[in-house]
Amino acid sequence: STTSLVWQQGYKSDVTWYEAKSYCENLTLDSKSWRLPLTHELKSLIDYDKTSPAIDTVYFPDTPPEWFWASKHVGYDDASAGNEPASWMINFYDGFVEYSSRYNRYNVRCVQSN
C-alpha cells in the first residue's frame, strides 16, 4: 500500500530509543523536519510476502533483518508502575511487532514530519 509518508532511505544502527528520537528530530536531510515513526507508519513498510528483510529492498537497500524503533508504548510511558519506560519496535526480519526497554539498542529509520 502506498502512503504519503516520506522515509529516510538510510538508517542509524545501535541506538537507544532516546538516541533514536533525538537523531530523527535533529536530522536535516533535504532541509525537512524528521521524526521517529509511529508504530503503524513503520509497519506500513513491511512486506509480508518477504522475509529477511521483510521490506522492498529496491527502495530500501541494505535494510538489516533486525529491530527498528517506533513511537512510545502507550501505558509504559513512565516508570511509576515499576516498569521501565518501553517503546514499540518492529522486526524487519518478518514484521513482528514487540516492545522493549527504551535503553536497549536497535536501529532507527526516520520519517518526515508533515
Side-chain angles (χ1 to χ4, degrees):
S1 64
T2 306
T3 67
S4 59
L5 298 171
V6 177
W7 291 91
Q8 175 190 13
Q9 275 210 285
Y11 65 94
K12 186 165 179 62
S13 61
D14 194 37
V15 289
T16 67
W17 183 86
Y18 300 100
E19 290 166 344
K21 186 173 188 293
S22 175
Y23 168 74
C24 288
E25 289 171 355
N26 290 293
L27 194 61
T28 54
L29 286 174
D30 302 328
S31 305
K32 305 280 189 208
S33 295
W34 298 83
R35 61 176 170 77
L36 205 55
L38 300 174
T39 310
H40 72 274
E41 291 172 337
L42 187 59
K43 195 174 179 192
S44 74
L45 294 181
I46 295 288
D47 181 344
Y48 286 100
D49 294 328
K50 298 180 177 175
T51 56
S52 192
I55 193 170
D56 186 333
T57 52
V58 172
Y59 290 103
F60 299 103
D62 306 319
T63 297
E66 297 168 0
W67 294 103
F68 278 76
W69 283 117
S71 55
K72 68 186 182 186
H73 183 293
V74 178
Y76 286 87
D77 199 30
D78 62 71
S80 62
N83 296 312
E84 279 191 64
S87 289
W88 290 108
M89 55 186 189
I90 296 179
N91 194 332
F92 277 82
Y93 174 79
D94 58 3
F96 189 75
V97 179
E98 182 59 271
Y99 62 91
S100 177
S101 164
R102 293 183 185 174
Y103 295 103
N104 289 331
R105 306 183 82 82
Y106 301 110
N107 302 297
V108 64
R109 170 169 277 136
C110 307
V111 69
Q112 254 181 44
S113 287
N114 293 337

